[in-house]
């Protein structure tokens, strides 16, 4: 019971986006949802996929002449909810173990080993070992729980159920920008080196306690990178989540799809705004006329994915439209 | 009709390779993958059930052989697409070579020209 509450936090009801217009399907999805683990967003990933499969399968049966309800019944029979729930549980458990075990062991053992080099009685050392090992286990369990049960698998994918638009949008690809990928790799190396560095520090501290302070300095300096990481993470979330598609410009952040035939202007932000700080002078914009005559200005940041390509595409499109209205 | 003899592990490996082969042709989503695989299996289609599709896809994803992304499907609702990764392609190539070797050995030693026992 307790485990169920922990793994279904923060939402226990079926996410509204998962439901469809078909009562049979809704009953199936509600039952399936009650068996799934994870937060509402994590469960939505499975529910949306299963719903899509069943709707497609039912459509297939309907096309071969079956009535709608019978078609849905057959589709549901072929996809037992229990099997889908077990697959989801196994997948979440795999993700939990993959994160919890290495991070718990790494932190617990390395921190306990580090403190064991400090002078003190064996009873205190045993206590320190126990303390750090249990802290490591708890830390690992927390990380694993958060990664598997709370956070959806991919931060940079769109949330299913919130429709982008019925756009012919093949070719949308979602990933961090190359700069962010490089930074991420550097930070991974940095964190991977932290545990052995603490061990080395402990050994050095046995012979020369003053050296610890010298060695600590670069690590604290490195830790100052954390705000940069956080800033970059949000920059990617806020700015770089904009992609180009074949006939539409998709703005994932706002869940908008702006049709290219409504494009009215492109340019540099400094053309339309005065007194911009340096960074903003490198930002481009594209303006779209929406229904009712209201204009939407899409900002193209230099940091966003394929920014140059997107701007060139918009410019070309506008030029082509000017030549052949 | 004789019951098909299928060792679970061999079948699992074969189905993994089949799904990867479908994804190597183009990115696809759950139901379309199922349909393509069953069409390729022809009379052996009952070996592949819808209920086993998603555990299989999750397994391939966990191993890093496929990648996923969401985008609107033809009905307007969001759909999860699977895409084969470089590692998946490498794995598929290795599996095809393995199966090819097994098939050659079987044909040389156990099977006759019609696929029956020698």
């Amino acid at each position: 019971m307790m485990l169920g509450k922990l793994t279904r936090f923060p939402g226990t009801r079926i996410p509204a986006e998962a439901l469809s217009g078909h009562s049979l399907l809704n009953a199936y999805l509600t039952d399936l949802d009650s068996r799934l683990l994870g937060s509402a967003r994590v469960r939505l990933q499975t529910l949306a996929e299963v719903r899509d499969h069943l709707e497609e399968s039912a459509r297939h049966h309907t096309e071969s002449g079956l009535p709608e309800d019978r078609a849905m019944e057959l589709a549901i029979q072929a996809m037992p909810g229990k099997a889908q729930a077990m697959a989801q549980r196994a997948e979440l458990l795999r993700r939990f173990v993959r994160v919890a075990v290495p991070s718990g062991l790494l932190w617990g053992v390395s921190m306990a080993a580090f403190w064991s080099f400090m002078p003190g009685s064996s009873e205190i050392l045993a206590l320190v070992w126990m303390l750090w090992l249990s802290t490591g286990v708890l830390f690992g369990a927390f990380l694993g729980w958060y990664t598997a049960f709370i956070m959806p698998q991919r931060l940079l994918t769109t949330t299913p159920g919130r429709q982008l638009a019925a756009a012919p949008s093949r070719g949308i690809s979602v990933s961090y920008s190359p700069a962010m990928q490089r930074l991420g790799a550097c930070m991974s190396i940095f964190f991977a080196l932290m545990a052995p560095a603490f061990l080395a520090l402990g050994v050095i501290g046995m012979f020369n306690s003053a050296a610890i302070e010298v060695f600590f300095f670069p690590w604290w300096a490195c830790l100052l990178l954390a705000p940069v990481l956080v800033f970059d993470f949000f920059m990617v979330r806020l700015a770089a989540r904009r992609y180009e598609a074949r006939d539409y410009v998709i703005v994932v952040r706002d869940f908008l799809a702006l049709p290219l035939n409504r494009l009215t202007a492109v340019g540099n932000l400094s053309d339309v705004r005065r007194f911009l700080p340096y960074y903003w002078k490198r930002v481009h914009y594209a303006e779209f006329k929406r229904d009712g005559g209201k204009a939407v200005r899409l900002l193209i940041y230099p940091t966003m994915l394929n920014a140059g390509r997107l701007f060139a595409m918009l410019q070309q499109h506008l030029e082509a439209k000017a030549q052949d209205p | 009709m004789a019951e098909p003899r299928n060792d679970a592990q061999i079948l699992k490996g074969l189905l993994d390779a089949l799904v990867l082969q479908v994804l190597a042709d183009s990115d696809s989503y759950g139901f379309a993958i199922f349909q393509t695989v069953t069409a390729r299996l022809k009379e052996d289609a009952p070996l592949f059930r819808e209920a086993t599709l998603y555990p299989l896809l999750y397994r391939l994803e966990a191993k890093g052989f496929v990648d996923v992304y969401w985008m609107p499907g033809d009905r307007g609702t969001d759909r999860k697409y699977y895409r084969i990764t470089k590692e998946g392609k490498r794995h598929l190539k290795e599996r095809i070579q393995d199966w090819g070797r097994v098939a050659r050995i079987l044909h040389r030693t156990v099977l006759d020209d019609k696929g029956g026992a020698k």
Side-chain angles (χ1 to χ4, degrees), chain B residues 1 5 12 23 25-26 29 50 52-53 57 60 66 68 71 87 92 94 96 99 103 105 109-111 117:
Chain B
M1 197 179 116
R5 292 177 191 182
K12 216 185 227 185
L23 293 175
D25 294 341
S26 69
Y29 58 94
E50 276 173 272
T52 56
L53 172 67
L57 287 170
L60 292 178
V66 297
V68 301
M71 65 183 218
E87 207 174 323
L92 176 64
E94 284 169 9
I96 289 173
W99 290 113
I105 293 170
T109 56
V110 180
L111 302 174

Side-chain angles (χ1 to χ4, degrees), chain A residues 220-237:
Chain A
W220 283 117
C222 284
L223 279 179
L224 289 178
L225 273 174
V228 178
L229 233 199
V230 172
F231 174 77
D232 249 11
F233 175 78
F234 283 106
M235 277 303 287
V236 168
R237 297 272 294 163

Side-chain angles (χ1 to χ4, degrees), chain A residues 177-200:
Chain A
S177 62
M180 183 62 187
Q181 284 175 16
R182 278 194 292 273
L183 186 73
C186 290
M187 291 311 287
S188 304
I189 294 168
F190 166 66
F191 282 115
L193 287 176
M194 262 182 84
F198 270 118
L199 273 179

Side-chain angles (χ1 to χ4, degrees), chain A residues 136-165:
Chain A
V137 169
L138 285 176
F139 175 69
F142 171 76
L143 268 187
W145 168 77
Y146 187 77
T147 322
F149 297 108
I150 302 302
M151 193 173 70
Q153 206 150 6
R154 279 158 202 287
L155 279 173
L156 291 182
T157 52
T158 56
T159 305
R162 295 185 189 173
Q163 294 181 19
L164 281 173

Side-chain angles (χ1 to χ4, degrees), chain A:
Chain A
M1 191 72 178
M2 183 70 183
L3 188 71
K5 275 185 183 173
L6 275 174
T7 51
R8 282 178 71 86
F9 179 85
T12 51
R13 281 187 191 167
I14 183 166
E17 297 97 322
L19 294 172
S20 73
H22 201 288
S23 58
L24 264 180
L25 181 55
N26 281 351
Y28 170 86
L29 290 171
T30 310
D31 175 62
L32 173 61
D33 182 66
S34 69
R35 298 167 191 264
L36 297 179
L37 299 181
S39 69
R41 286 190 67 191
V42 169
R43 299 199 310 275
L44 190 54
Q45 304 254 334
T46 304
L47 292 169
E49 187 172 31
V50 170
R51 183 185 114 173
D52 181 57
H53 182 106
L54 291 175
E55 283 176 343
E56 278 288 293
S57 178
R59 187 169 73 171
H60 190 69
H61 288 308
T62 316
E63 279 169 6
S64 59
L66 283 177
E68 208 176 301
D69 280 354
R70 180 68 189 138
M72 185 56 81
E73 245 179 62
L74 281 178
I76 287 172
Q77 271 172 21
M79 287 274 284
K82 206 175 165 186
Q84 302 313 311
M86 277 171 68
Q88 193 246 15
R89 282 168 180 237
E91 169 60 12
L92 292 188
L93 191 69
R94 247 197 313 259
R95 286 173 60 195
F96 176 81
V97 171
R98 216 162 39 212
V99 177
V101 172
S103 53
L105 282 178
L106 184 76
W107 279 92
V109 172
S110 57
M111 292 309 278
F114 168 65
W115 286 104
S116 67
F117 287 114
M118 293 297 151
S121 64
S122 56
E123 289 83 7
I124 291 178
L125 277 182
L127 202 69
V128 165
W129 261 94
M130 290 295 289
L131 185 75
W132 278 109
L133 272 180
S134 51
T135 309
V137 169
L138 285 176
F139 175 69
F142 171 76
L143 268 187
W145 168 77
Y146 187 77
T147 322
F149 297 108
I150 302 302
M151 193 173 70
Q153 206 150 6
R154 279 158 202 287
L155 279 173
L156 291 182
T157 52
T158 56
T159 305
R162 295 185 189 173
Q163 294 181 19
L164 281 173
S169 50
R170 291 205 174 273
I172 296 179
S173 63
V174 187
S175 64
Y176 286 106
S177 62
M180 183 62 187
Q181 284 175 16
R182 278 194 292 273
L183 186 73
C186 290
M187 291 311 287
S188 304
I189 294 168
F190 166 66
F191 282 115
L193 287 176
M194 262 182 84
F198 270 118
L199 273 179
L201 209 60
V203 176
I204 292 165
M206 285 169 69
F207 306 104
N208 184 353
S209 58
I212 289 186
E213 286 172 27
V214 179
F215 270 81
F216 256 121
F217 178 73
W219 291 106
W220 283 117
C222 284
L223 279 179
L224 289 178
L225 273 174
V228 178
L229 233 199
V230 172
F231 174 77
D232 249 11
F233 175 78
F234 283 106
M235 277 303 287
V236 168
R237 297 272 294 163
L238 295 175
R241 291 180 65 189
R242 294 154 189 249
Y243 318 100
E244 61 155 305
R246 192 183 291 162
D247 297 322
Y248 282 69
V249 175
I250 308 286
V251 187
V252 176
R253 190 186 83 188
D254 303 320
F255 302 102
L256 284 174
L258 301 166
L260 272 178
N261 57 13
R262 297 286 184 90
L263 180 69
T264 52
V266 290
N268 191 283
L269 203 58
S270 56
D271 301 339
V272 286
R273 283 191 204 167
R274 297 176 71 188
F275 310 118
L276 284 171
Y278 173 71
Y279 175 79
W280 293 93
K281 285 182 182 163
R282 294 190 294 140
V283 174
H284 288 87
Y285 75 92
E287 208 167 75
F288 293 83
K289 199 174 174 185
R290 303 193 76 188
D291 291 333
K294 200 179 166 190
V296 175
R297 194 173 284 163
L298 164 68
L299 296 184
I300 306 168
Y301 297 89
T303 47
M304 70 187 253
L305 296 174
N306 301 324
R309 213 174 72 183
L310 175 56
F311 183 71
M313 182 193 84
L314 296 174
Q315 212 167 16
Q316 270 173 16
H317 183 82
L318 207 62
E319 282 167 9
K321 206 160 85 171
Q323 282 170 7
D324 184 19

Side-chain angles (χ1 to χ4, degrees), chain B residues 13 16 18 22 24 47 50 59 65 67 85 87 90-91 107:
Chain B
D16 282 6
L18 263 170
V22 169
L47 289 174
E50 276 173 272
R59 195 170 60 239
F65 297 153
D67 206 359
T85 60
E87 207 174 323
R90 198 166 41 237
H91 176 78
H107 278 289

